[in-house]
Amino acid sequence: MDLFSSLEGNQSLKLDEGITAQNIEQVKQGVRQSIAMANAQELIRRVNDACFKMSVPAPGASFTRAEQDSVSRCVDKYLASWDVVAQTYVARLQREGK
C-alpha cells in the first residue's frame, strides 16, 4: 500500500480536525509535483555530467563549435535513450501489475 492509498483509506480522519478530502488531494498533488521536479533535476544533472565530460576534454573560456556539436548530439542521444528506458520500465510495471 502506498502513501496515497493509505491516506484515502484512512477512515479515522475527521473533518473537525481540519483535514478535508480537498486538503489531502492538494497535498498529494504537491508531492507529485515535488517528485517530478526532483526527477527532472536529476536527469539534467546526469545529462550534464555525462555529456560535458565526454564532449569537453579541456574546458576553456568558451566552447568550440566541435564541442557544442558534440554536447548537442550527446544530449539528444541521452534523452532518446532515457525515453526508451522509461517507456520500457512503465510497460514492465504495467505487465507485472496485472
Side-chain angles (χ1 to χ4, degrees), residues 65-96:
R65 181 70 179 157
E67 290 170 336
Q68 291 175 5
D69 291 345
S70 179
V71 169
S72 180
R73 282 190 308 273
C74 178
V75 169
D76 289 345
K77 287 179 182 180
Y78 194 101
L79 293 178
S81 299
W82 183 85
D83 191 39
V84 168
V85 169
Q87 289 176 6
T88 303
Y89 180 69
V90 168
R92 182 176 177 182
L93 288 177
Q94 289 172 345
R95 271 195 323 268
E96 291 177 0

Side-chain angles (χ1 to χ4, degrees), residues 45-56:
R45 185 193 65 76
R46 287 182 182 196
V47 167
N48 186 44
D49 287 347
C51 294
F52 187 82
K53 287 176 184 174
M54 184 186 76
S55 301
V56 185

Side-chain angles (χ1 to χ4, degrees), residues 4-87:
F4 296 141
S5 59
S6 67
L7 286 174
E8 291 169 351
N10 190 345
Q11 299 301 320
S12 66
L13 296 177
K14 298 179 183 173
L15 293 180
D16 63 355
E17 293 175 3
I19 298 174
T20 65
Q22 184 179 8
N23 294 128
I24 292 172
E25 190 57 39
Q26 287 173 342
V27 169
K28 288 169 34 176
Q29 186 61 31
V31 169
R32 286 184 192 111
Q33 288 174 347
S34 294
I35 291 170
M37 181 62 75
N39 287 339
Q41 289 171 337
E42 180 65 14
L43 176 61
I44 290 168
R45 185 193 65 76
R46 287 182 182 196
V47 167
N48 186 44
D49 287 347
C51 294
F52 187 82
K53 287 176 184 174
M54 184 186 76
S55 301
V56 185
S62 63
F63 289 127
T64 65
R65 181 70 179 157
E67 290 170 336
Q68 291 175 5
D69 291 345
S70 179
V71 169
S72 180
R73 282 190 308 273
C74 178
V75 169
D76 289 345
K77 287 179 182 180
Y78 194 101
L79 293 178
S81 299
W82 183 85
D83 191 39
V84 168
V85 169
Q87 289 176 6

